[in-house]
Amino acid sequence: MATRPQIWVGIDVGKHAHHACGVDETGKTVFSQKLGNDQAAIEALIARAGQAADRVGWAIDLTSPMALLLITALLAADQAVTYVPGRVVNSMTGGFRGEGKTDAKDARVIAQSARLREDLNQVVMPDELVVGLTQLTGYRTDLMADWVAGINRLRALLGSIFPALEAAFDYSNRTPLILVAAMCTPAEIRAAGIDGVTTYLADNGAWKPGIAKAATTAIDAAGRQSLALPGEADTAMLVKRIARKLLDLDREIKDTDKLITTRFRQHPWARIIESLPGMGPGLGAEFLVGTRGDLANFASAGRLASYAGLVPVPRDSGRVNGNLHRPKRYNRRMRRVFFMAALSSLKVTDGPSRRFYDRKRGERLIHTQALLALARRLVDVLWALLRDGREFSMANPIPVAAAA
């Protein structure tokens, strides 16, 4: 009996439905169908592909939580799954006829990319702890976006009725928010007086060492404005509402940070990651999410640094050589992890990070360039530490393998 040919099935992942396209060894479409994002439909697709060929290669364009059911169903059925990044799909689309974009065409491009390329990464079963951290860090990012938007909105409203009070405080702190949640017009603050403002702040959980100064500052601002501006009553009501929401949001962010720290420290890499200068639970959790808790796709520290956008890429042509520039395709989240770690590590004034940074500044690099060089160095060190399974030590701060 003749052996049935191999096929590649590309799946354009969607929130409610996916589109799958199977192509054979010649690139001919074997089937193309839409399926729901539910277990029964995915298992039916696996069975259909198994009937069409003895060997089936699967390819998807997303590995985010939205594709978690699809990935789990495929891997549970012992299927080999390849990840085709969206940028690859976009660039490959131009090699096929037609300018139209449909889910069916995207699925076919994904399948063809998996058929033609051998350098794509394999998808593995996600670690449950890392998936949880992915959700938690994503939720924290949303909370911070709401926090920044709320602070900006509050300042805009408060500045329209009481400019002196808006300019007097940093509203990313709780004490000013507690104040304006109850009194945010000159008349309200004058009516309360210094004793009333002080008592209110003390009774509502303001930072005790700063209460006296905050009360004095508020009274001083109220004394410099005797006019009630148009729309003051409604604007003040909105300021108070936003301030109360921001106080609740601040508690939510802190609770989420505690939960991220607890979950992160359950990971086997946690102690090693936290031992590196500048890396705390927050950045450590982001690192685990960015690498999916697996270094299998990073054969060297250079691969990891390239993934983080810390390796310049050449742009040579003709007689122009050595023309290096910043890459355009890299993981922004991972770059931020190492950049912030490098910045935080400089707080230790006599540590190895500070000495490395000072040496780079001595080589006439500007601040940002020296920081990026330090971030690249931290990649080397962390990769070596994780490979060797040991923590960072001040007695031997740079592993030999990383320094080579």
Side-chain angles (χ1 to χ4, degrees):
M1 175 181 289
T3 303
R4 289 178 296 172
Q6 178 178 2
I7 65 170
W8 289 263
V9 181
I11 301 179
D12 181 52
V13 178
K15 182 178 180 180
H16 301 293
H18 313 306
H19 199 101
C21 178
V23 299
D24 61 18
E25 294 167 320
T26 65
K28 181 181 178 181
T29 300
V30 177
F31 65 84
S32 180
Q33 70 172 82
K34 185 177 181 180
L35 66 147
N37 188 19
D38 62 81
Q39 183 176 343
I42 296 170
E43 290 175 345
L45 175 65
I46 295 172
R48 179 178 183 180
Q51 293 173 358
D54 289 325
R55 295 180 299 158
V56 182
W58 299 83
I60 58 177
D61 64 336
L62 283 178
T63 56
S64 64
M66 185 170 64
L68 198 54
L69 175 60
L70 174 64
I71 293 171
T72 304
L74 289 171
L75 296 180
D78 295 325
Q79 303 297 306
V81 185
T82 299
Y83 171 52
V84 182
R87 59 178 175 78
V88 173
V89 178
N90 291 336
S91 60
M92 290 287 288
T93 299
F96 294 90
R97 184 175 58 188
E99 297 184 8
K101 182 187 182 305
T102 64
D103 292 344
K105 182 178 180 180
D106 288 344
R108 182 167 177 265
V109 171
I110 294 168
Q112 295 283 24
S113 299
R115 180 178 72 88
L116 296 172
R117 296 185 57 164
E118 298 181 354
D119 60 339
L120 300 172
N121 293 328
Q122 294 293 308
V123 178
V124 298
M125 186 67 75
D127 180 85
E128 184 171 351
L129 180 57
V130 175
V131 173
L133 285 173
T134 302
Q135 302 286 26
L136 288 171
T137 54
Y139 178 60
R140 188 188 186 281
T141 299
D142 292 340
L143 291 179
M144 289 305 300
D146 293 340
W147 171 262
V148 172
I151 293 293
N152 291 338
R153 184 59 176 163
L154 181 143
R155 298 195 76 119
L157 290 171
L158 185 59
S160 69
I161 59 170
F162 198 171
L165 188 65
E166 186 274 332
F169 293 109
D170 177 4
Y171 290 93
S172 62
N173 298 321
R174 287 187 64 87
T175 297
L177 291 176
I178 292 172
L179 172 66
V180 299
M183 51 191 84
C184 61
T185 66
E188 289 174 335
I189 293 176
R190 284 195 299 269
I194 186 71
D195 293 336
V197 173
T198 301
T199 301
Y200 169 76
L201 291 176
D203 292 344
N204 287 273
W207 185 53
K208 291 183 179 180
I211 288 177
K213 182 179 180 181
T216 302
T217 302
I219 292 295
D220 178 67
R224 288 185 279 121
Q225 181 176 326
S226 60
L227 296 175
L229 302 186
E232 181 182 80
D234 288 335
T235 304
M237 175 191 66
L238 293 176
V239 168
K240 294 173 184 178
R241 285 185 179 182
I242 294 173
R244 288 192 290 268
K245 288 181 180 179
L246 286 171
L247 288 169
D248 292 338
L249 188 57
D250 179 62
R251 297 188 191 95
E252 181 72 10
I253 291 171
K254 290 176 179 176
D255 290 342
T256 303
D257 286 340
K258 291 178 182 178
L259 188 55
I260 289 174
T261 298
T262 301
R263 294 288 189 272
F264 166 72
R265 288 178 175 164
Q266 294 173 0
H267 196 276
W269 289 357
R271 290 177 63 87
I272 297 175
I273 293 173
E274 280 197 89
S275 72
L276 187 70
M279 290 288 277
L283 291 178
E286 294 279 357
F287 175 79
L288 290 178
V289 170
T291 60
R292 299 186 180 89
D294 185 9
L295 290 181
N297 292 326
F298 306 104
S300 66
R303 290 280 186 89
L304 180 57
S306 178
Y307 180 65
L310 296 172
V311 178
V313 295
R315 183 179 287 172
D316 297 342
S317 180
R319 296 181 180 179
V320 178
N321 295 309
N323 185 18
L324 302 177
H325 71 101
R326 177 178 173 176
K328 296 181 179 179
R329 299 194 297 265
Y330 57 90
N331 188 296
R332 267 69 178 170
R333 196 173 193 175
M334 190 65 67
R335 183 185 179 91
R336 177 186 173 276
V337 166
F338 286 105
F339 187 86
M340 294 304 296
L343 191 61
S344 298
S345 69
L346 294 181
K347 294 179 181 178
V348 181
T349 56
D350 60 345
S353 292
R354 169 58 71 173
R355 291 193 293 271
F356 183 88
Y357 171 85
D358 289 341
R359 178 159 62 86
K360 290 299 177 182
R361 289 304 304 270
E363 296 172 3
R364 305 185 69 177
L365 295 184
I366 64 173
H367 171 68
T368 303
Q369 292 172 328
L371 267 183
L372 289 173
L374 177 57
R376 175 67 177 86
R377 185 66 158 181
L378 291 180
V379 174
D380 289 345
V381 176
L382 183 57
W383 185 87
L385 291 173
L386 292 174
R387 184 201 59 186
D388 297 341
R390 64 188 182 90
E391 297 178 30
F392 181 87
S393 170
M394 291 298 292
N396 182 21
I398 304 297
V400 175

